[in-house]
Amino acid sequence: MTDKKNCVINLHLSKKYLNRCFNWIFLESLRESASWTKNILVLSIYPLILLICGFFMVIEISKFRIGGNFTFFAYLMVYFGSLYQSLWKYFVFLWHDEKIKQIRKFIEDIQISTETTDLLSNIRRREYQEALKFYVLFVRACTAMMTYSVIALFSLNAYATNFTSGLMYTIPLLPETSAFYRPVNLIFQFISLVIIAVVFVASDFIFAILVGCLDGELRSIVAYILTMKDESNAKKQGKEILKTVYKNHLRLLLVLNDLRSIFWYLSLQMLLTSFLYICFTFFLARVVSISITTFILCFNSSSLLFIYSYLSQILLNRTEGVAHALWQTSWYNLAPDDQRNFLIILCMAQTPIGLSASGVTTISISTMVQVLKAAVTYGTLLFTLVN
């Protein structure tokens, strides 16, 4: 009973956080039963603000000259990269709206299935309880860290610019002598920073929660397969177990492929931008004294790279674990027709599946190490060239 209660709580929290993240990004609460025109207007709020903010950033970047304040310029480039990535994520999620609906339906079906009393449902309750504990805690911790980072970055930037800017630029055509100069700059840039952080981080929360649900389902499938280690179970229930495994594993692979296609280009972009962020912040740490702002930016960039690499590694390990579990069963006690079905499932499960960076590489922990090494190397090279 405790397992069932904890599983229901964790699944409910995961679904709640998932819905909350989509509401943060797409303002779904404002689009309930709304007209098509109102939906378009609501969906245009974030992109419009970010595009205006990006336009002001480009103007500020174009003003930079050799010998100017390179520290402010480097910070501005980092914020501009974050803005660009947030816009990209926003439109990618919009483009894949149908796939996202299918993934959300998959989670709803899993939640419904845990209410039944068959063997697979009992296993799901146990495995989801263990799997989702980490992901629920992760989302809570990252939400607190995001809030702190936004407030700290904006406050430090405002202080460094004598309370005229929070993102290292000023709104053009607004005279410095105007009474509205500082309030308008600070308020607009704070709103822009919050939107950047919400879209940027909420999309990563969505990815983490979805990986958590896939992790729980893969664990459940592996545990269900291992019930065939018992020779009597393999003989009596092997056919039914294989049929259930095939159906659930196939659906999971379809959901996983949808997730991979959503993050197909985002993953490559994440690797490149993380490399640039870390390279820039490492260079700043060498050129000037290490400030709190530099530390926060470097920590956030490294954390983003670690999160994607670690979660993709989990998917690789879990999908590979299905094939390992199949080999540990008493498959030799299956009927000839069932052995044929066993081989079909084994062929489907033999290739580990994780995030792909646009087909260039499969993201894993080793990818994170390679990006960090390259970023530190090029950051040092840039420092040597400048000095």
Side-chain angles (χ1 to χ4, degrees):
M1 180 63 73
T2 304
D3 286 351
K4 182 176 181 179
K5 183 179 178 181
N6 290 337
C7 174
V8 169
I9 291 172
N10 287 334
L11 267 172
H12 173 73
L13 284 174
S14 298
K15 187 179 174 184
K16 175 184 173 183
Y17 291 152
L18 190 68
N19 292 335
R20 185 176 294 174
C21 287
F22 280 112
N23 190 31
W24 286 351
I25 297 175
F26 298 116
L27 304 174
E28 291 184 341
S29 58
L30 300 179
R31 298 190 294 120
E32 293 177 355
S33 304
S35 65
W36 183 83
T37 306
K38 184 179 178 182
N39 282 339
I40 296 297
L41 289 174
V42 171
L43 289 173
S44 302
I45 293 174
Y46 283 2
L48 186 60
I49 294 174
L50 293 183
L51 286 171
I52 294 171
C53 179
F55 176 70
F56 292 156
M57 283 183 171
V58 170
I59 292 175
E60 194 71 30
I61 291 169
S62 66
K63 294 178 182 178
F64 178 77
R65 297 292 181 269
I66 300 298
N69 192 326
F70 191 81
T71 303
F72 280 17
F73 174 75
Y75 285 146
L76 179 59
M77 289 299 296
V78 171
Y79 297 138
F80 181 74
S82 300
L83 183 146
Y84 160 76
Q85 197 167 0
S86 296
L87 271 173
W88 185 266
K89 285 184 175 183
Y90 187 87
F91 287 115
V92 165
F93 273 67
L94 270 182
W95 180 261
H96 292 287
D97 182 58
E98 288 301 319
K99 290 181 179 179
I100 289 171
K101 286 179 181 177
Q102 292 299 319
I103 294 174
R104 294 173 80 171
K105 186 177 184 305
F106 167 76
I107 295 173
E108 289 178 4
D109 291 344
I110 291 297
Q111 189 174 16
I112 293 171
S113 72
T114 57
E115 300 298 324
T116 58
T117 56
D118 57 88
L119 177 60
L120 180 57
S121 296
N122 293 333
I123 292 172
R124 272 184 176 142
R125 284 194 288 270
R126 183 183 71 240
E127 298 300 331
Y128 270 89
Q129 177 200 346
E130 289 298 317
L132 291 177
K133 280 193 301 186
F134 164 75
Y135 298 95
V136 169
L137 180 63
F138 166 79
V139 171
R140 285 175 173 171
C142 287
T143 302
M145 288 171 59
M146 179 192 73
T147 305
Y148 170 77
S149 295
V150 168
I151 295 173
L153 281 175
F154 188 83
S155 302
L156 291 167
N157 290 341
Y159 179 78
T161 58
N162 195 24
F163 298 97
T164 57
S165 172
L167 289 175
M168 300 306 180
Y169 73 87
T170 54
I171 298 174
L173 303 179
L174 189 62
E176 295 183 23
T177 54
S178 171
F180 299 102
Y181 181 72
R182 290 184 178 181
V184 170
N185 270 294
L186 290 176
I187 291 171
F188 178 75
Q189 292 180 41
F190 181 75
I191 292 171
S192 300
L193 181 59
V194 169
I195 293 174
I196 291 170
V198 164
V199 176
F200 197 99
V201 179
S203 60
D204 298 333
F205 288 173
I206 290 170
F207 176 61
I209 294 168
L210 294 179
V211 170
C213 292
L214 291 173
D215 183 13
E217 186 65 7
L218 284 163
R219 287 185 184 210
S220 303
I221 290 172
V222 167
Y224 189 61
I225 289 171
L226 291 177
T227 58
M228 287 200 302
K229 287 179 74 174
D230 184 271
E231 293 186 5
S232 61
N233 272 350
K235 286 180 180 178
K236 296 177 183 178
Q237 301 179 356
K239 184 172 184 176
E240 188 61 33
I241 290 174
L242 287 174
K243 181 181 177 181
T244 305
V245 167
Y246 176 80
K247 181 179 70 174
N248 287 278
H249 186 243
L250 181 61
R251 186 180 184 189
L252 182 140
L253 291 179
L254 293 174
V255 170
L256 182 52
N257 283 332
D258 284 343
L259 185 64
R260 277 164 52 89
S261 65
I262 293 170
F263 286 88
W264 183 260
Y265 295 110
L266 288 177
S267 300
L268 179 61
Q269 186 191 66
M270 180 275 302
L271 292 180
L272 294 175
T273 50
S274 295
F275 166 77
L276 291 174
Y277 294 159
I278 296 168
C279 187
F280 262 115
T281 50
F282 184 79
F283 169 74
L284 286 172
R286 297 290 299 271
V287 173
V288 297
S289 58
I290 301 177
S291 64
I292 298 176
T293 304
T294 306
F295 174 78
I296 292 174
L297 289 173
C298 192
F299 176 78
N300 288 348
S301 304
S302 303
S303 299
L304 176 67
L305 180 62
F306 171 76
I307 289 167
Y308 272 79
S309 301
Y310 180 71
L311 294 179
S312 182
Q313 186 69 57
I314 286 177
L315 290 176
L316 288 168
N317 293 344
R318 297 295 181 222
T319 50
E320 190 176 26
V322 175
H324 291 165
L326 286 166
W327 279 120
Q328 294 177 49
T329 62
S330 301
W331 57 269
Y332 41 82
N333 287 313
L334 296 170
D337 287 346
D338 295 334
Q339 289 185 10
R340 193 178 302 113
N341 296 331
F342 172 87
L343 289 174
I344 292 172
I345 299 172
L346 183 62
C347 289
M348 291 169 56
Q350 282 203 332
T351 304
I353 302 174
L355 280 190
S356 176
S358 301
V360 175
T361 183
T362 299
I363 299 175
S364 63
I365 291 295
S366 63
T367 309
M368 179 191 72
V369 176
Q370 291 169 4
V371 172
L372 287 175
K373 285 171 61 178
V376 172
T377 301
Y378 281 98
T380 306
L381 179 61
L382 183 61
F383 171 78
T384 304
L385 292 174
V386 171
N387 290 274

